[in-house]
Amino acid sequence: MHMPGRTGLEVARSVRVLETLGKRQRTPIIMLTAAASTDLQQSSIDAGVDLFLSKPVDPRALLCGVNQVYSGAREPRVACAASGAGSYVDRDRFAT
């Protein structure tokens, strides 16, 4: 989320714009942050993030989320059973 020069949300937005302009295949974006809040989750959805996890992350939640992102699951914002609050997969935004 917090990176030198730009935030994770800024990078996610930029990637989505470049994909649209270049008619490129969607790139999975996974956000891992210590700053977990409902507002940040919504901002992440709006920016095009596919998976949002808050620290400390349960390794099972990470693996489950990555599997959902890459498996083509169609349900929007499906929470992994192994995950705690603050994680989602936004499948509608990942559709290709």
Side-chain angles (χ1 to χ4, degrees):
M1 181 69 206
H2 301 287
M3 302 181 304
R6 299 177 77 187
T7 69
L9 293 175
E10 291 169 335
V11 171
R13 286 185 200 104
S14 295
V15 167
R16 297 300 178 228
V17 167
L18 291 172
E19 289 169 347
T20 302
L21 294 175
K23 297 182 181 178
R24 296 180 180 168
Q25 186 175 8
R26 187 173 177 88
T27 302
I29 298 176
I30 298 172
M31 174 100 42
L32 177 61
T33 181
S37 71
T38 304
D39 290 340
L40 180 57
Q41 287 181 358
Q42 186 59 51
S43 296
S44 297
I45 290 170
D46 295 343
V49 170
D50 298 297
L51 175 64
F52 179 97
L53 292 168
S54 57
K55 295 177 189 176
V57 66
D58 179 336
R60 294 170 298 169
L62 177 60
L63 292 174
C64 179
V66 169
N67 184 51
Q68 284 183 335
V69 168
Y70 282 96
S71 72
R74 304 304 296 173
E75 299 81 21
R77 295 182 213 120
V78 175
C80 294
S83 67
S87 63
Y88 63 81
V89 176
D90 188 356
R91 295 305 317 146
D92 282 345
R93 295 185 179 273
F94 193 63
T96 54

